[in-house]
Amino acid sequence: MASRRQDLSAALHPAYVIWELTLRCDQACAHCGSRAGAAREDELGLEEALRVVRELAELGCKEVTLMGGEAYLHPGFLEIVAALKAAGIRPTMTTGGRAITPELARRIAGAGLHSVSVSVDGLEPTHELVRGVKGSFRSATGALRALRGAGLPVAANTNVSRVNLGELEALYEVLRGLGIRGWQLQITAAEGRAADRPAMLLQPWDLLELVPRVIALKERAFRDGITLMPGNNLGYFGAGETALRSLTPDGTDHWHGCQAGRFILGIESGGGVKGCASLASRHYVGGNLREAPLPELWAREGALAFTRSRTVEDLWGFCRTCPFGPTCLGGCTFTAHALFGRAGNNPYCHYRAHALKKQGKRERLVPVAAAPGQPFDHGRFELVEEPFRAPEEPALPQRELLRKWCPLT
């Protein structure tokens, strides 16, 4: 068995890496899993980052997405972009775009950045409510224009919550007009600041409405030459799974399980390494780049490599009994862990919501413990099973709560 694990590990490599260059940020987003704002203590400097670039190339990395916080607030940002490109690694970036001017966009393009995804979380009033900054919608859309003007392919990404659930079709029209080539939609997970604002979060039965709408938008996007893809925490084997996951209109793709620590790697700005950038730091950091070279950290068993030995024996609750369990293996790890403090049972599942509805039931997430207030932390929720036609909560109470918690600056 040990030799089989070694053979398997040798075939795996961090093909796609999400690298948090700094936790420093120029916005204060209500859903931010990392609680970005101030830089971490003792973040990796330029020379250390350049060494990491060389180690990523050694491991066969194909693409690195730079993010934060805000990646462009790292003093060595442009040098790191150039080094990645020189090493044969595709550098991309995810950004809120607040400070991306036409001049900065030209410098970014000149450094060799391949493409950029700008976070847009609703129409103007909603986006600014979530981002907590007046003018943030204009800066985000202005960043898309500036980056396109510099010759860079642009995309958008959106965290879907009960705040913006009703705006997706209208938001698509805005983004299409801005010339995006791609759009990623993911569910706001109960991590970081979002854990402090449970009224923002979708309930599991909301997927019965959301997934068909995303599929319809995706079909339209294909006709418009735009690739719309779900994030790793949206979907799972309900009706339309292949339409949801495929990169082509006639594709047959589907969810193949969490790839954290298999072909995906996350790097924190302080040097912590974990299988996915969104995973809870306390539970999933598998070492630090200041302690050991990346190839050595990657080869270790343990926190970073947990998916390499995951089986249905690690599942619990509904997921343990699900016919798709051997393939799905509980869906997105960080989303489930953020709810229950352990992975292996994920109520944000389209198939599961349908199966329960057929029995006249649904699941409600109820917060029972608060998050401690650290980057990538979480509280704890309980699942309450109730009749499907249970009384609804008042419409959009979270808007008023967000205004209280996140006054615009």
Side-chain angles (χ1 to χ4, degrees), residues 17-25 32-45 49 52 56 64-74 77 80 84 92-94 191 265-274 276-279 281 285 289 374-376:
V17 174
I18 301 177
W19 189 349
E20 172 201 282
L21 285 186
T22 177
L23 208 57
R24 184 182 172 197
C25 194
C32 181
S34 65
R35 300 183 183 270
R40 295 180 190 269
E41 293 184 8
D42 200 20
E43 294 186 333
L44 297 179
V52 173
L56 286 169
V64 170
T65 294
L66 302 172
M67 61 179 298
E70 271 294 355
Y72 58 67
L73 295 177
H74 188 282
F77 167 62
I80 295 167
L84 286 165
T92 64
M93 177 171 70
T94 296
E191 188 174 58
L265 178 71
I267 300 175
E268 294 185 342
S269 58
V273 176
K274 50 191 179 180
C276 166
S278 298
L279 288 166
S281 302
V285 168
L289 291 163
Q374 302 297 318
F376 296 106

Side-chain angles (χ1 to χ4, degrees), residues 4 40 47 85 96 101 128 171 237 257 287 307 376:
R4 183 174 180 274
R40 295 180 190 269
E47 291 306 314
K85 183 177 181 182
T101 61
E128 297 197 351
L171 181 57
F237 298 103
T307 62
F376 296 106

Side-chain angles (χ1 to χ4, degrees), residues 80-389:
I80 295 167
V81 170
L84 286 165
K85 183 177 181 182
I89 301 170
R90 175 184 292 178
T92 64
M93 177 171 70
T94 296
T95 177
R98 187 179 180 193
I100 295 183
T101 61
E103 178 185 356
L104 179 56
R106 288 190 292 270
R107 294 175 64 200
I108 289 171
L113 200 71
H114 177 270
S115 56
V116 183
S117 179
V118 177
S119 300
V120 186
D121 289 309
L123 301 176
E124 185 167 7
T126 300
H127 177 88
E128 297 197 351
L129 189 64
V130 171
R131 296 273 151 178
V133 177
K134 291 179 181 178
S136 57
F137 185 82
R138 291 194 303 274
S139 62
T141 54
L144 285 167
R145 294 188 186 96
L147 292 160
R148 278 192 70 208
L152 287 166
V154 295
N157 61 86
T158 300
N159 261 275
V160 182
S161 69
R162 285 200 155 192
V163 181
N164 60 12
L165 182 59
E167 298 183 356
L168 299 182
E169 289 78 7
L171 181 57
Y172 173 79
E173 294 294 335
V174 173
L175 296 173
R176 182 176 66 89
L178 290 165
I180 63 166
R181 296 189 183 181
W183 189 21
Q184 184 186 66
L185 293 171
Q186 63 183 26
I187 293 172
T188 298
E191 188 174 58
R193 294 193 190 113
D196 304 336
R197 298 160 172 82
M200 287 185 69
L201 304 175
L202 298 180
Q203 288 293 345
W205 69 82
D206 287 325
L207 270 67
L208 297 173
E209 170 196 345
L210 173 61
V211 171
R213 288 171 58 198
V214 172
I215 292 171
L217 279 168
K218 182 168 184 173
E219 291 170 349
R220 178 170 181 191
F222 275 135
R223 295 193 296 271
D224 291 336
I226 297 168
T227 301
L228 188 161
M229 290 297 290
N232 289 335
N233 64 0
L234 175 59
Y236 315 131
F237 298 103
E241 168 70 7
T242 58
L244 187 68
R245 295 257 166 224
S246 296
L247 284 166
T248 61
D250 57 351
T252 58
D253 298 322
H254 60 81
W255 173 255
H256 288 281
C258 176
Q259 299 299 305
R262 292 172 58 83
F263 298 101
I264 295 174
L265 178 71
I267 300 175
E268 294 185 342
S269 58
V273 176
K274 50 191 179 180
C276 166
S278 298
L279 288 166
S281 302
R282 177 183 172 188
H283 301 275
Y284 293 99
V285 168
N288 192 287
L289 291 163
R290 289 194 172 105
E291 300 169 358
L294 183 55
E296 179 181 327
L297 297 177
W298 179 261
R300 291 179 183 174
E301 296 187 6
L304 189 149
F306 67 96
T307 62
R308 300 175 195 174
S309 58
R310 176 178 279 178
T311 71
V312 291
E313 298 301 314
D314 299 305
L315 305 182
W316 57 283
F318 184 99
C319 289
R320 182 63 177 267
T321 67
C322 179
F324 298 106
T327 300
C328 182
L329 291 175
C332 174
T333 299
F334 90 85
T335 300
H337 191 110
L339 292 171
F340 308 122
R342 58 189 284 213
N345 186 28
N346 188 347
Y348 283 124
C349 168
H350 192 215
Y351 170 81
R352 177 170 174 165
H354 270 292
L356 290 171
K357 184 180 179 182
K358 288 179 180 178
Q359 302 173 36
K361 303 174 184 178
R362 68 184 188 185
E363 293 173 315
R364 180 183 294 273
L365 289 164
V366 179
V368 294
Q374 302 297 318
F376 296 106
D377 64 350
H378 59 86
R380 187 167 59 84
F381 288 72
E382 287 184 352
L383 272 178
V384 176
E385 196 173 272
E386 62 186 21
F388 189 81
R389 296 298 180 185

